[in-house]
Amino acid sequence: MSRLLTDEEITRQLAELDGWSRDGDTIRSVYKATSFARAIEFVHLVAADADHMDHHPDIEISYTTVRWALSTHSEGGITQLDIELAHRIIEAAQQTGAQVAE
């Protein structure tokens, strides 16, 4: 199990995660893919990492927009697992050409 991060740890680590923000006990980001197929490819890449980590995000897909919400429900907040998965989401975005939505 992963421990809850302190507010200071969350703030410091979010500063390194472009496009991510805190919303209570969750970190969130929204990406825009170049096509619906690329949005699904983006999610598919993250799904493989999430399964490997045994840590699964909340995902909302609306055409080319992909919304991510990360929280460690078993711990009741944000843990290092969420930060690590956010980094992997950024890597998958780079691989598929998805961009942070403005």
Side-chain angles (χ1 to χ4, degrees):
M1 294 207 153
S2 206
R3 71 169 178 80
L4 289 175
L5 297 177
T6 66
D7 288 339
E8 182 181 313
E9 290 171 322
I10 294 166
T11 299
R12 180 176 44 80
Q13 293 194 62
L14 277 178
E16 300 171 4
L17 294 169
D18 184 42
W20 287 85
S21 61
R22 183 176 185 179
D23 179 15
D25 291 336
T26 302
I27 59 174
R28 298 180 185 277
S29 190
V30 179
Y31 282 83
K32 194 82 164 165
T34 57
S35 69
F36 179 72
R38 292 295 271 183
I40 298 303
E41 180 183 358
F42 176 32
V43 170
H44 181 74
L45 286 174
V46 174
D49 285 336
D51 273 346
H52 179 63
M53 294 173 68
D54 194 27
H55 188 64
H56 303 94
D58 291 331
I59 308 165
E60 180 184 323
I61 305 167
S62 179
Y63 187 47
T64 60
T65 302
V66 183
R67 290 177 178 82
W68 302 93
L70 307 179
S71 184
T72 305
H73 302 290
S74 62
E75 298 301 317
I78 301 165
T79 69
Q80 195 61 39
L81 285 172
D82 301 304
I83 302 297
E84 289 174 20
L85 187 53
H87 279 287
R88 292 184 185 198
I89 290 169
I90 290 169
E91 290 171 10
Q94 292 169 344
Q95 292 174 17
T96 59
Q99 300 289 320
V100 171
E102 298 298 327

